[in-house]
Short mmCIF file of all heavy atoms in Angstrom, two decimals:
data_model
loop_
_atom_site.label_atom_id
_atom_site.label_comp_id
_atom_site.label_asym_id
_atom_site.label_seq_id
_atom_site.Cartn_x
_atom_site.Cartn_y
_atom_site.Cartn_z
N ASN O 226 -1.23 9.53 4.21
CA ASN O 226 -0.10 9.92 3.38
C ASN O 226 -0.34 11.32 2.83
O ASN O 226 -0.20 11.59 1.64
CB ASN O 226 0.17 8.93 2.25
CG ASN O 226 1.57 9.12 1.68
OD1 ASN O 226 2.53 9.23 2.42
ND2 ASN O 226 1.67 9.17 0.37
N ASP O 227 -0.75 12.20 3.75
CA ASP O 227 -1.05 13.58 3.40
C ASP O 227 -0.24 14.50 4.30
O ASP O 227 0.18 14.13 5.39
CB ASP O 227 -2.54 13.87 3.51
CG ASP O 227 -3.17 13.36 4.79
OD1 ASP O 227 -2.48 12.74 5.61
OD2 ASP O 227 -4.37 13.58 4.98
N TYR O 228 -0.04 15.71 3.80
CA TYR O 228 0.90 16.62 4.43
C TYR O 228 0.38 18.05 4.37
O TYR O 228 -0.44 18.38 3.52
CB TYR O 228 2.25 16.56 3.71
CG TYR O 228 2.75 15.15 3.52
CD1 TYR O 228 2.38 14.39 2.42
CD2 TYR O 228 3.58 14.56 4.47
CE1 TYR O 228 2.82 13.09 2.25
CE2 TYR O 228 4.03 13.26 4.31
CZ TYR O 228 3.64 12.53 3.21
OH TYR O 228 4.07 11.24 3.04
N LEU O 229 0.89 18.87 5.28
CA LEU O 229 0.60 20.30 5.27
C LEU O 229 1.93 21.04 5.23
O LEU O 229 2.80 20.83 6.08
CB LEU O 229 -0.18 20.70 6.53
CG LEU O 229 -0.44 22.19 6.71
CD1 LEU O 229 -1.23 22.77 5.54
CD2 LEU O 229 -1.15 22.44 8.03
N ILE O 230 2.08 21.90 4.22
CA ILE O 230 3.26 22.74 4.08
C ILE O 230 2.80 24.18 4.34
O ILE O 230 1.88 24.66 3.68
CB ILE O 230 3.88 22.65 2.67
CG1 ILE O 230 4.17 21.19 2.29
CG2 ILE O 230 5.15 23.49 2.60
CD1 ILE O 230 4.58 21.01 0.84
N THR O 231 3.44 24.84 5.29
CA THR O 231 3.12 26.25 5.55
C THR O 231 4.28 27.12 5.07
O THR O 231 5.43 26.69 5.04
CB THR O 231 2.82 26.50 7.04
OG1 THR O 231 3.90 26.00 7.82
CG2 THR O 231 1.53 25.80 7.46
N PHE O 232 3.95 28.35 4.72
CA PHE O 232 4.91 29.28 4.12
C PHE O 232 4.96 30.58 4.91
O PHE O 232 3.98 30.99 5.52
CB PHE O 232 4.52 29.60 2.67
CG PHE O 232 4.56 28.40 1.77
CD1 PHE O 232 3.49 27.53 1.69
CD2 PHE O 232 5.69 28.14 1.02
CE1 PHE O 232 3.54 26.41 0.87
CE2 PHE O 232 5.74 27.02 0.20
CZ PHE O 232 4.67 26.16 0.12
N ASN O 233 6.12 31.25 4.85
CA ASN O 233 6.23 32.58 5.45
C ASN O 233 5.78 33.62 4.43
O ASN O 233 5.38 33.27 3.31
CB ASN O 233 7.65 32.83 5.96
CG ASN O 233 8.70 32.85 4.85
OD1 ASN O 233 8.39 33.04 3.67
ND2 ASN O 233 9.94 32.65 5.23
N ASN O 234 5.87 34.90 4.80
CA ASN O 234 5.37 35.94 3.89
C ASN O 234 6.27 36.16 2.67
O ASN O 234 5.91 36.91 1.77
CB ASN O 234 5.13 37.25 4.64
CG ASN O 234 6.39 37.79 5.30
OD1 ASN O 234 7.47 37.22 5.16
ND2 ASN O 234 6.25 38.88 6.02
N LYS O 235 7.43 35.47 2.63
CA LYS O 235 8.31 35.52 1.44
C LYS O 235 8.11 34.28 0.57
O LYS O 235 8.92 34.01 -0.32
CB LYS O 235 9.77 35.63 1.88
CG LYS O 235 10.10 36.91 2.61
CD LYS O 235 11.54 36.92 3.04
CE LYS O 235 11.83 38.17 3.85
NZ LYS O 235 13.21 38.16 4.38
N ASN O 236 7.07 33.51 0.85
CA ASN O 236 6.73 32.28 0.12
C ASN O 236 7.77 31.19 0.28
O ASN O 236 7.89 30.30 -0.56
CB ASN O 236 6.48 32.56 -1.37
CG ASN O 236 5.30 33.46 -1.58
OD1 ASN O 236 4.33 33.40 -0.84
ND2 ASN O 236 5.37 34.31 -2.58
N GLU O 237 8.53 31.24 1.38
CA GLU O 237 9.50 30.20 1.69
C GLU O 237 8.84 29.19 2.64
O GLU O 237 8.02 29.57 3.49
CB GLU O 237 10.73 30.80 2.38
CG GLU O 237 11.44 31.83 1.54
CD GLU O 237 12.39 32.70 2.34
OE1 GLU O 237 12.18 32.90 3.55
OE2 GLU O 237 13.36 33.17 1.72
N VAL O 238 9.21 27.93 2.49
CA VAL O 238 8.65 26.89 3.34
C VAL O 238 9.04 27.17 4.79
O VAL O 238 10.21 27.33 5.11
CB VAL O 238 9.12 25.49 2.91
CG1 VAL O 238 8.66 24.43 3.91
CG2 VAL O 238 8.60 25.17 1.51
N LYS O 239 8.02 27.24 5.63
CA LYS O 239 8.23 27.47 7.06
C LYS O 239 8.17 26.16 7.83
O LYS O 239 8.94 25.92 8.74
CB LYS O 239 7.15 28.44 7.56
CG LYS O 239 7.29 28.86 9.00
CD LYS O 239 6.38 30.04 9.35
CE LYS O 239 4.92 29.68 9.29
NZ LYS O 239 4.04 30.74 9.82
N ASN O 240 7.24 25.27 7.43
CA ASN O 240 7.05 24.01 8.15
C ASN O 240 6.42 22.97 7.23
O ASN O 240 5.62 23.30 6.36
CB ASN O 240 6.14 24.24 9.37
CG ASN O 240 6.06 23.04 10.26
OD1 ASN O 240 7.07 22.44 10.60
ND2 ASN O 240 4.87 22.67 10.65
N VAL O 241 6.80 21.71 7.45
CA VAL O 241 6.20 20.57 6.75
C VAL O 241 5.78 19.57 7.81
O VAL O 241 6.58 19.24 8.69
CB VAL O 241 7.20 19.90 5.78
CG1 VAL O 241 6.55 18.69 5.11
CG2 VAL O 241 7.68 20.89 4.73
N GLU O 242 4.54 19.10 7.74
CA GLU O 242 4.10 18.10 8.72
C GLU O 242 3.18 17.07 8.08
O GLU O 242 2.47 17.36 7.13
CB GLU O 242 3.42 18.76 9.91
CG GLU O 242 2.16 19.53 9.57
CD GLU O 242 1.56 20.24 10.76
OE1 GLU O 242 1.19 19.57 11.74
OE2 GLU O 242 1.44 21.48 10.70
N LYS O 243 3.26 15.86 8.65
CA LYS O 243 2.35 14.79 8.25
C LYS O 243 1.03 14.98 8.97
O LYS O 243 1.01 15.36 10.14
CB LYS O 243 2.92 13.43 8.67
CG LYS O 243 4.14 12.99 7.93
CD LYS O 243 4.72 11.75 8.57
CE LYS O 243 4.30 10.54 7.79
NZ LYS O 243 4.95 9.31 8.26
N LEU O 244 -0.08 14.70 8.29
CA LEU O 244 -1.39 14.79 8.92
C LEU O 244 -1.88 13.43 9.41
O LEU O 244 -2.72 13.36 10.30
CB LEU O 244 -2.41 15.38 7.94
CG LEU O 244 -2.06 16.76 7.37
CD1 LEU O 244 -3.18 17.27 6.49
CD2 LEU O 244 -1.74 17.75 8.46
N HIS O 245 -1.38 12.37 8.81
CA HIS O 245 -1.69 10.99 9.23
C HIS O 245 -0.38 10.23 9.35
O HIS O 245 0.60 10.57 8.69
CB HIS O 245 -2.59 10.28 8.20
CG HIS O 245 -4.00 10.77 8.17
ND1 HIS O 245 -4.38 11.88 7.44
CD2 HIS O 245 -5.12 10.31 8.76
CE1 HIS O 245 -5.68 12.07 7.60
NE2 HIS O 245 -6.16 11.13 8.39
N ASN O 246 -0.38 9.20 10.14
CA ASN O 246 0.82 8.42 10.37
C ASN O 246 1.11 7.42 9.25
O ASN O 246 2.22 6.94 9.13
CB ASN O 246 0.71 7.69 11.71
CG ASN O 246 2.04 7.28 12.24
OD1 ASN O 246 3.01 8.02 12.13
ND2 ASN O 246 2.12 6.09 12.81
N SER O 247 0.11 7.10 8.44
CA SER O 247 0.28 6.10 7.39
C SER O 247 -0.72 6.36 6.27
O SER O 247 -1.40 7.38 6.28
CB SER O 247 0.07 4.69 7.97
OG SER O 247 -1.24 4.57 8.48
N MET O 248 -0.80 5.43 5.33
CA MET O 248 -1.76 5.52 4.24
C MET O 248 -2.74 4.36 4.34
O MET O 248 -2.34 3.23 4.58
CB MET O 248 -1.05 5.46 2.88
CG MET O 248 -2.00 5.66 1.72
SD MET O 248 -1.18 5.60 0.11
CE MET O 248 -1.16 3.83 -0.15
N ILE O 249 -4.02 4.68 4.16
CA ILE O 249 -5.08 3.67 4.20
C ILE O 249 -5.78 3.69 2.85
O ILE O 249 -6.33 4.71 2.44
CB ILE O 249 -6.11 3.98 5.30
CG1 ILE O 249 -5.43 4.10 6.66
CG2 ILE O 249 -7.22 2.95 5.33
CD1 ILE O 249 -6.14 5.03 7.60
N ALA O 250 -5.73 2.57 2.14
CA ALA O 250 -6.44 2.43 0.87
C ALA O 250 -7.70 1.61 1.14
O ALA O 250 -7.61 0.47 1.56
CB ALA O 250 -5.56 1.76 -0.16
N GLN O 251 -8.86 2.23 0.95
CA GLN O 251 -10.12 1.54 1.19
C GLN O 251 -10.79 1.22 -0.14
O GLN O 251 -11.05 2.12 -0.94
CB GLN O 251 -11.03 2.38 2.08
CG GLN O 251 -10.46 2.56 3.46
CD GLN O 251 -11.43 3.20 4.42
OE1 GLN O 251 -12.33 3.92 4.04
NE2 GLN O 251 -11.25 2.93 5.69
N ASN O 252 -11.05 -0.06 -0.36
CA ASN O 252 -11.74 -0.49 -1.58
C ASN O 252 -13.21 -0.15 -1.50
O ASN O 252 -13.82 -0.25 -0.44
CB ASN O 252 -11.58 -2.00 -1.77
CG ASN O 252 -10.16 -2.38 -2.10
OD1 ASN O 252 -9.49 -1.71 -2.86
ND2 ASN O 252 -9.69 -3.46 -1.50
N ILE O 253 -13.76 0.24 -2.63
CA ILE O 253 -15.19 0.52 -2.70
C ILE O 253 -15.76 -0.29 -3.86
O ILE O 253 -15.07 -0.58 -4.83
CB ILE O 253 -15.50 2.02 -2.89
CG1 ILE O 253 -14.78 2.57 -4.13
CG2 ILE O 253 -15.10 2.81 -1.67
CD1 ILE O 253 -15.18 3.98 -4.49
N ASN O 254 -17.00 -0.66 -3.74
CA ASN O 254 -17.69 -1.40 -4.80
C ASN O 254 -16.90 -2.61 -5.28
O ASN O 254 -16.78 -2.86 -6.47
CB ASN O 254 -18.01 -0.46 -5.97
CG ASN O 254 -18.82 0.74 -5.54
OD1 ASN O 254 -19.64 0.65 -4.62
ND2 ASN O 254 -18.60 1.86 -6.16
N ASP O 255 -16.36 -3.35 -4.35
CA ASP O 255 -15.58 -4.55 -4.65
C ASP O 255 -16.54 -5.73 -4.77
O ASP O 255 -17.29 -6.04 -3.84
CB ASP O 255 -14.57 -4.80 -3.53
CG ASP O 255 -13.60 -5.91 -3.83
OD1 ASP O 255 -13.99 -6.88 -4.51
OD2 ASP O 255 -12.46 -5.82 -3.37
N GLU O 256 -16.53 -6.42 -5.91
CA GLU O 256 -17.45 -7.54 -6.13
C GLU O 256 -17.26 -8.65 -5.11
O GLU O 256 -18.20 -9.36 -4.77
CB GLU O 256 -17.27 -8.09 -7.55
CG GLU O 256 -17.75 -7.14 -8.61
CD GLU O 256 -17.52 -7.68 -10.01
OE1 GLU O 256 -17.22 -8.87 -10.16
OE2 GLU O 256 -17.65 -6.88 -10.96
N LYS O 257 -16.05 -8.82 -4.59
CA LYS O 257 -15.77 -9.89 -3.63
C LYS O 257 -16.36 -9.59 -2.25
O LYS O 257 -16.83 -10.49 -1.57
CB LYS O 257 -14.27 -10.11 -3.49
CG LYS O 257 -13.62 -10.63 -4.75
CD LYS O 257 -12.12 -10.73 -4.58
CE LYS O 257 -11.46 -11.08 -5.91
NZ LYS O 257 -10.01 -11.00 -5.84
N ILE O 258 -16.33 -8.32 -1.84
CA ILE O 258 -16.81 -7.99 -0.50
C ILE O 258 -18.14 -7.25 -0.51
O ILE O 258 -18.74 -7.04 0.52
CB ILE O 258 -15.77 -7.16 0.30
CG1 ILE O 258 -15.48 -5.84 -0.40
CG2 ILE O 258 -14.52 -7.95 0.54
CD1 ILE O 258 -14.63 -4.88 0.40
N GLY O 259 -18.60 -6.82 -1.66
CA GLY O 259 -19.85 -6.10 -1.75
C GLY O 259 -19.64 -4.60 -1.61
O GLY O 259 -18.52 -4.11 -1.54
N LYS O 260 -20.73 -3.89 -1.53
CA LYS O 260 -20.69 -2.43 -1.45
C LYS O 260 -20.53 -2.00 0.01
O LYS O 260 -21.25 -2.46 0.87
CB LYS O 260 -21.97 -1.85 -2.03
CG LYS O 260 -22.00 -0.35 -2.11
CD LYS O 260 -23.18 0.10 -2.93
CE LYS O 260 -23.32 1.59 -2.99
NZ LYS O 260 -22.18 2.31 -3.49
N THR O 261 -19.58 -1.12 0.26
CA THR O 261 -19.41 -0.59 1.61
C THR O 261 -20.38 0.56 1.83
O THR O 261 -20.73 1.28 0.89
CB THR O 261 -17.97 -0.10 1.85
OG1 THR O 261 -17.67 0.90 0.87
CG2 THR O 261 -16.96 -1.23 1.77
N ILE O 262 -20.84 0.73 3.06
CA ILE O 262 -21.78 1.80 3.38
C ILE O 262 -21.17 2.85 4.30
O ILE O 262 -21.77 3.90 4.52
CB ILE O 262 -23.08 1.25 3.99
CG1 ILE O 262 -22.79 0.47 5.27
CG2 ILE O 262 -23.83 0.40 2.98
CD1 ILE O 262 -24.03 0.13 6.06
N SER O 263 -20.00 2.55 4.86
CA SER O 263 -19.35 3.48 5.76
C SER O 263 -17.89 3.10 5.88
O SER O 263 -17.45 2.09 5.32
CB SER O 263 -20.02 3.43 7.14
OG SER O 263 -19.49 4.44 7.97
N GLY O 264 -17.14 3.90 6.62
CA GLY O 264 -15.74 3.59 6.85
C GLY O 264 -15.27 4.22 8.14
O GLY O 264 -15.94 5.06 8.73
N VAL O 265 -14.09 3.80 8.55
CA VAL O 265 -13.50 4.33 9.79
C VAL O 265 -11.99 4.22 9.70
O VAL O 265 -11.46 3.30 9.08
CB VAL O 265 -14.04 3.57 11.03
CG1 VAL O 265 -13.65 2.11 11.00
CG2 VAL O 265 -13.59 4.23 12.32
N HIS O 266 -11.30 5.18 10.28
CA HIS O 266 -9.87 5.06 10.50
C HIS O 266 -9.51 5.84 11.75
O HIS O 266 -10.28 6.66 12.24
CB HIS O 266 -9.04 5.47 9.28
CG HIS O 266 -9.00 6.94 8.99
ND1 HIS O 266 -9.80 7.52 8.03
CD2 HIS O 266 -8.23 7.94 9.49
CE1 HIS O 266 -9.53 8.81 7.96
NE2 HIS O 266 -8.58 9.10 8.85
N SER O 267 -8.32 5.55 12.27
CA SER O 267 -7.90 6.20 13.52
C SER O 267 -6.83 7.25 13.25
O SER O 267 -6.12 7.19 12.26
CB SER O 267 -7.37 5.15 14.50
OG SER O 267 -6.25 4.50 13.96
#
């Protein structure tokens, strides 16, 4: 859920694009699942 906005030399928006197709919320230090040591997404 991140984006890149590029501008022309007049500070006008030239392009808007998504960097990922969706949003991934990863829990950390969750008492139910324990401590995570790494992560992965596509």
Side-chain angles (χ1 to χ4, degrees):
N226 197 47
D227 47 358
Y228 310 87
L229 174 59
I230 306 171
T231 53
F232 296 84
N233 64 20
N234 60 2
K235 295 178 184 175
N236 297 326
E237 300 164 332
V238 173
K239 185 168 67 171
N240 188 47
V241 178
E242 62 184 300
K243 290 172 100 173
L244 303 183
H245 288 84
N246 200 39
S247 61
M248 184 180 84
I249 303 151
Q251 295 189 334
N252 292 319
I253 56 172
N254 304 327
D255 187 327
E256 291 178 13
K257 295 176 188 172
I258 61 172
K260 185 169 177 57
T261 57
I262 59 169
S263 187
V265 63
H266 72 261
S267 62

